[in-house]
Amino acid sequence: MRIDVLNGVNLDLLARRDPGVYGGLSLDELETRIYAWAVELGCSVRCRQTNHEGEYVEWCHAALEGVDGIVVNPGAWTHYSWAIRDALELAGAPLVEVHLSDVEGREEWRRHSVLEGLTAHRVVGRGPEGYREALRLLTEPAG
Ligand code: DQA
């Protein structure tokens, strides 16, 4: 099983963002954990991150071919990028939306997701473990 993990804008600076909200982990450390969880769960993962919306859209297009699941954390684009929603609408593979922080308990503008209705699951506020849960939901869909 092949899964793409697509992290979006500002997640490259994860280690420098408010540790009270994001935990202080770097993107490298997060990706290292994701690759280890993939081995544990018996799937093959490709992690990507960009600050460029067009590139993210192209990665969504690339994920239309040959992947069995997509984990997305588009960062702030989650709340307003209809281009990313349109791109992910084409995905044949199941989608899981992840947010490290509890977007429901923060500012009002973070409560809206353009991905509403598209995703098989949404995991929020569980820190890095949220990605493990997303991989688990994709690899063990009945669990
Ligand atoms: C985030 C939440 C978004 O509101 C924010 O803009 C991010 C990160 C999260 O993982 O908690 O950049 O997607």
Side-chain angles (χ1 to χ4, degrees):
M1 177 173 227
R2 290 185 45 191
I3 298 173
D4 273 358
V5 176
L6 305 180
N7 283 311
V9 63
N10 292 315
L11 289 165
D12 56 328
L13 295 186
L14 196 54
R16 294 169 63 178
R17 297 180 74 178
D18 184 348
V21 175
Y22 293 107
L25 199 75
S26 72
L27 180 66
D28 265 5
E29 289 163 340
L30 174 63
E31 290 185 346
T32 300
R33 289 192 196 182
I34 292 170
Y35 286 122
W37 289 325
V39 171
E40 210 179 275
L41 293 164
C43 58
S44 158
V45 161
R46 170 169 63 174
C47 292
R48 308 177 111 178
Q49 187 279 330
T50 182
N51 290 326
H52 301 278
E53 188 180 2
E55 188 167 37
Y56 198 88
V57 164
E58 283 175 3
W59 290 350
C60 294
H61 294 173
L64 304 182
E65 312 294 331
V67 302
D68 307 296
I70 311 172
V71 176
V72 289
N73 180 354
W77 290 325
T78 306
H79 312 301
Y80 66 87
S81 175
W82 300 108
I84 289 173
R85 182 194 166 91
D86 280 351
L88 288 170
E89 214 163 35
L90 301 170
L95 279 177
V96 181
E97 177 183 351
V98 173
H99 297 287
L100 292 150
S101 66
D102 176 16
V103 284
E104 301 300 332
R106 298 178 65 194
E107 300 93 325
E108 201 277 327
W109 61 269
R110 293 187 202 271
R111 289 188 202 145
H112 172 71
S113 170
V114 295
L115 303 179
E116 200 178 324
L118 284 189
T119 51
H121 300 278
R122 190 164 194 255
V123 184
V124 306
R126 296 187 47 188
E129 280 290 321
Y131 288 83
R132 185 183 194 286
E133 177 62 5
L135 295 181
R136 194 193 65 75
L137 287 163
L138 289 168
T139 52
E140 301 166 13

